[in-house]
Amino acid sequence: MVNLIGGFMNGTVDEGIRGVSMSMVNVTLPDGTVNEYAAGITAGEVVIDALGKKHGCLAARIDGVERDFSASLDSDCNVEGILASSNEGIHILRHSAAHLLAQAVMEIYPDAKPTIGPAIDRGFYYDFAMEPIAVSDLKAIEKKMHELARRNIQVERVELEEQELRDHFQSNKYKIEIIDDKCKLIGELICDGARELVSDRVSKLIGELICDRTRELVSDRISQMIGELICD
């Protein structure tokens, strides 16, 4: 086992012109402002509308629950952006970096089997079932992480049913164990997609958020979070 540490429309839509009755939702912002939007607007679009494109947020809190920017708003709710500099934001960055590490390792070592890679108090780590590597190999992994971050890969949320997850990870007994634990915990067949970065797609284990694009991890942020990769 190898352990590596380290446009949208708002309420001003002219429904008469469109000739279609549009369902609207009221979104309350942290300062008490209430904006009206077309139902189906995403949390990310609301944050951009409220704070501008340079908002510095990585995700949003919807009625107190942390959600990624792709979350659709279909009913009245409260929305607050989660700043990258906040404790929650730093956790998201670290968890995102763990997934970036997983993709880098799997691109260099295709036979490596990722097991678990959480964010921790001082950074993140990822365990892999693979042949041992040397400390000298770690530079190549870090270089690959920077390369992937610069590609600004779009991050998509993928939700799969339990059997779909099992089919996807049938060759990785470690992920199957995680699926067993997670699905048993929530008592439902629907689990958040547990895929690693595959074909430029990334998803999350239940209850964890990651950045919506890899550019959030580019250059200095990766270096700050990685610190030094360690083979255990």
Side-chain angles (χ1 to χ4, degrees), residues 109-129:
Y109 305 97
D111 294 330
K113 295 188 183 302
T115 62
I116 189 169
I120 54 179
D121 288 344
R122 294 186 297 172
F124 62 92
Y125 73 87
Y126 218 116
D127 286 337
F128 300 88

Side-chain angles (χ1 to χ4, degrees), residues 205-216:
L205 292 177
I206 294 171
E208 295 287 349
L209 294 179
I210 57 175
C211 303
D212 66 339
R213 300 195 74 92
T214 57
R215 69 182 172 204
E216 302 292 353

Side-chain angles (χ1 to χ4, degrees), residues 18 25 35 42 44 55 78 83 97 157:
R18 292 178 176 272
V25 295
N35 291 342
T42 65
H55 49 68
N78 296 284
L83 291 170
R157 183 182 184 85

Side-chain angles (χ1 to χ4, degrees), residues 210-229:
I210 57 175
C211 303
D212 66 339
R213 300 195 74 92
T214 57
R215 69 182 172 204
E216 302 292 353
L217 301 169
V218 77
S219 302
D220 58 329
R221 279 183 174 169
I222 289 180
S223 299
Q224 291 169 10
M225 287 184 291
I226 290 177
E228 180 178 358
L229 292 175

Side-chain angles (χ1 to χ4, degrees), residues 1-4 101-102 105-117 125-133 171-178 196 232:
M1 186 76 71
V2 174
N3 176 276
L4 297 183
L101 171 60
V105 169
M106 293 190 320
E107 288 199 9
I108 299 173
Y109 305 97
D111 294 330
K113 295 188 183 302
T115 62
I116 189 169
Y125 73 87
Y126 218 116
D127 286 337
F128 300 88
M130 60 187 292
E131 292 297 316
I133 61 175
S171 63
N172 188 334
K173 66 178 183 180
Y174 307 102
K175 289 298 185 184
I176 295 297
E177 290 175 0
I178 293 174
E196 300 308 323
D232 185 7

Side-chain angles (χ1 to χ4, degrees), residues 28-41:
T28 303
L29 303 175
D31 64 359
T33 300
V34 179
N35 291 342
E36 188 177 48
Y37 300 97
I41 190 171

Side-chain angles (χ1 to χ4, degrees), residues 117-167:
I120 54 179
D121 288 344
R122 294 186 297 172
F124 62 92
Y125 73 87
Y126 218 116
D127 286 337
F128 300 88
M130 60 187 292
E131 292 297 316
I133 61 175
V135 173
S136 58
D137 296 321
L138 298 180
K139 270 295 182 185
I141 295 175
E142 183 175 354
K143 181 178 179 181
K144 176 62 71 173
M145 290 178 71
H146 282 282
E147 174 192 321
L148 293 170
R150 286 193 297 270
R151 278 167 49 188
N152 194 23
I153 299 171
Q154 174 67 50
V155 176
E156 298 179 38
R157 183 182 184 85
V158 181
E159 294 191 4
L160 302 174
E161 291 188 1
E162 181 181 353
Q163 190 55 53
E164 292 178 300
L165 284 170
R166 292 183 184 281
D167 291 343

